[in-house]
Amino acid sequence: MEYHPTGEKPSPEHLRNCCNILNELGKAYLSQHKPIKAREYLEKAGKIAKQFPDYSLEIEVINQLGKSYQQQRKFESANSYHQQALDIAKKQKNRRAVVNSLFYLGNVSLDMRQFQQARDYYQQALEIEIEFGDRYASASTYHQLGRVAEELREYDQAWDYYQQALEIYIEFGDRYWSASTYHQLGIVAQRLREYDQARDYYQQALEIFIEFGDRYSSANTYHNLGYLAQELREYDQARDYYQQALEIYIEFGNRYSSANTYHNLGMVAQELREYDQARDYYQQALEIFIEFGDRYECAGTYHNLGMVAQELREYDQARDYYQQALEIKIEFGDRYSQALTLYCLGTLAQAEENYAEARANLQTALQIYVEYQDEYWSKVVREILEGLPE
């Protein structure tokens, strides 16, 4: 996929063709998750696009540049490009280009965990798609609205959105894109502890990815099948799925995504009481999250490093890790996740026979679990509270 222009002075039509070729080359590299190489072509395309009045092509190139920065998790740059594209689209009254730009801005907001902002962008895009009767395009927007609802633990809403997306993909015979929606339905089912249903959805997604030769996308599904097996205490199976996911991430140079798999391999090792191995995996995950500036994901790994330290009776170290995790969760407003760290700080204080601190942390955790109607964890915390000495 190389392009080498001649030294001749190009005609306007030749410029347009060159721009299209460069844009397509850039998109091809983005599909291979090679954003830096993609940007080489997209930046050239962007310069050419300014030389003739094809605003639709210029907007597309600018949005592709935004996607290249999003793949690198450089969200401010990504937002800047997508906003620039949106401004041009609005000025040109190009409603379809407005939809695309809003959709991409929603994707960046979702990655930044700005869920209400993401929902707003997607809702604006959906309104225009419905206005134009573009039922097929609305499928991807319903899918992304499902992801927002899922992140906000609005699982019934997420399920409805995913089902709407899936219905449209099936209606249009788009088997490939239905795979991602099957994958997300698997996540929702797993969150609701409907494990057989979750496995079925993941397997449907994986079957389609393999059918279409999309090895890269299959990695996420292998990862989630691993997490499902882990929840079912099928640790050998979980480790095997995680290793398959990790192999693909390494093959494609996707260092960022490998962090979550290292983290989960650490969880499996921890469950098997292989604490040195668990700590090593967690440290690899943490190193990558810090490298990519993903402070939010660091919280989960700090939390689990705290659990390992607590198991090894390294209580001061455990408390330090838990406090780092809690600080980040509070910073990002993730109230539900705070409960688990407060629970662990409570059990840590209990192990140190500091019952007043244990009770305070556990009561706060219980309050959050009740607020989120999590009956399982509410019961667990109540039982511990009832057993604490006065």
Side-chain angles (χ1 to χ4, degrees):
M1 294 192 304
E2 297 298 331
Y3 168 76
H4 300 283
T6 68
E8 299 176 4
K9 185 176 180 179
S11 67
E13 188 59 33
H14 183 65
L15 282 173
R16 189 187 305 276
N17 290 338
C18 286
C19 188
N20 271 314
I21 292 168
L22 289 163
N23 183 50
E24 291 303 318
L25 284 167
K27 288 164 67 176
Y29 277 112
L30 284 178
S31 72
Q32 294 180 3
H33 305 275
K34 297 178 180 177
I36 296 173
K37 189 67 175 175
R39 203 149 54 237
E40 289 179 22
Y41 293 104
L42 293 168
E43 286 174 346
K44 292 175 185 176
K47 289 177 183 177
I48 295 172
K50 293 181 184 298
Q51 298 179 40
F52 57 91
D54 186 341
Y55 291 107
S56 294
L57 183 54
E58 183 181 2
I59 291 165
E60 183 179 348
V61 172
I62 293 169
N63 273 325
Q64 296 303 318
L65 280 164
K67 288 171 71 175
S68 77
Y69 282 106
Q70 184 182 358
Q71 282 194 6
Q72 292 182 284
R73 300 187 64 80
K74 295 181 178 179
F75 298 129
E76 288 187 11
S77 295
N79 255 332
S80 176
Y81 276 105
H82 293 317
Q83 187 62 54
Q84 183 184 341
L86 180 62
D87 292 342
I88 297 170
K90 285 182 175 179
K91 186 176 180 180
Q92 296 303 314
K93 297 185 169 131
N94 186 333
R95 298 277 277 169
R96 294 192 186 280
V98 167
V99 167
N100 290 337
S101 301
L102 287 167
F103 183 84
Y104 295 138
L105 283 164
N107 291 347
V108 175
S109 295
L110 181 57
D111 277 354
M112 295 176 71
R113 301 187 62 80
Q114 296 173 353
F115 300 127
Q116 297 301 337
Q117 180 69 77
R119 177 175 276 166
D120 181 60
Y121 282 132
Y122 292 139
Q123 289 287 4
Q124 290 182 66
L126 186 63
E127 285 175 17
I128 300 172
E129 287 163 347
I130 292 171
E131 177 188 333
F132 275 90
D134 193 345
R135 182 161 166 77
Y136 176 76
S138 69
S140 58
T141 309
Y142 282 125
H143 177 99
Q144 293 301 93
L145 281 165
R147 289 187 60 197
V148 171
E150 178 190 313
E151 290 287 352
L152 294 171
R153 300 182 59 81
E154 300 167 358
Y155 295 129
D156 289 343
Q157 180 71 82
W159 192 278
D160 286 344
Y161 280 132
Y162 289 142
Q163 289 292 351
Q164 287 182 81
L166 189 61
E167 178 184 321
I168 296 168
Y169 288 136
I170 291 171
E171 175 187 331
F172 282 83
D174 194 336
R175 181 163 165 78
Y176 173 74
W177 281 107
S178 67
S180 293
T181 305
Y182 282 126
H183 176 96
Q184 295 302 129
L185 282 165
I187 293 175
V188 173
Q190 186 172 348
R191 296 270 175 84
L192 297 173
R193 297 190 174 91
E194 298 170 358
Y195 297 125
D196 289 341
Q197 180 72 84
R199 179 170 279 152
D200 182 59
Y201 280 130
Y202 290 144
Q203 290 291 358
Q204 287 184 79
L206 187 61
E207 178 185 320
I208 296 170
F209 288 137
I210 292 171
E211 174 188 332
F212 282 84
D214 189 349
R215 182 163 165 78
Y216 180 85
S217 294
S218 68
N220 288 337
T221 306
Y222 281 125
H223 176 96
N224 280 40
L225 280 165
Y227 188 42
L228 178 61
Q230 179 185 326
E231 286 205 314
L232 296 172
R233 307 182 69 81
E234 301 166 357
Y235 297 125
D236 289 341
Q237 180 71 83
R239 184 171 273 166
D240 181 60
Y241 280 131
Y242 287 143
Q243 290 292 356
Q244 288 183 78
L246 189 60
E247 179 185 320
I248 296 170
Y249 290 138
I250 291 171
E251 174 188 331
F252 281 84
N254 188 345
R255 182 162 165 79
Y256 174 76
S257 291
S258 69
N260 282 314
T261 305
Y262 281 125
H263 176 97
N264 283 29
L265 281 165
M267 292 170 70
V268 171
Q270 183 178 339
E271 290 287 352
L272 296 172
R273 305 182 69 80
E274 299 168 359
Y275 296 125
D276 288 341
Q277 180 71 84
R279 183 172 274 165
D280 182 60
Y281 279 131
Y282 289 142
Q283 290 291 358
Q284 288 183 79
L286 188 61
E287 178 185 323
I288 296 169
F289 288 138
I290 291 171
E291 175 187 332
F292 281 84
D294 192 339
R295 183 161 165 79
Y296 176 79
E297 289 295 339
C298 288
T301 306
Y302 281 129
H303 176 99
N304 283 31
L305 280 165
M307 292 174 68
V308 170
Q310 185 173 345
E311 289 284 351
L312 295 172
R313 303 180 68 81
E314 299 168 0
Y315 294 143
D316 289 342
Q317 180 71 84
R319 179 172 283 104
D320 182 59
Y321 280 132
Y322 289 144
Q323 290 291 358
Q324 289 182 79
L326 187 61
E327 178 185 323
I328 295 169
K329 291 174 179 182
I330 291 170
E331 175 187 331
F332 281 83
D334 189 348
R335 183 162 169 77
Y336 178 79
S337 292
Q338 291 169 35
L340 187 59
T341 303
L342 287 162
Y343 165 82
C344 287
L345 282 165
T347 60
L348 175 62
Q350 180 186 21
E352 295 177 309
E353 299 183 357
N354 184 343
Y355 300 120
E357 181 182 325
R359 188 176 298 280
N361 284 319
L362 289 167
Q363 284 177 336
T364 307
L366 178 61
Q367 179 183 342
I368 296 171
Y369 284 132
V370 169
E371 177 185 328
Y372 281 85
Q373 299 179 339
D374 190 325
E375 295 178 5
Y376 172 80
W377 275 104
S378 295
K379 180 181 178 183
V380 169
V381 177
R382 281 195 186 97
E383 288 176 354
I384 295 174
L385 279 167
E386 288 168 4
L388 287 178
E390 292 298 329

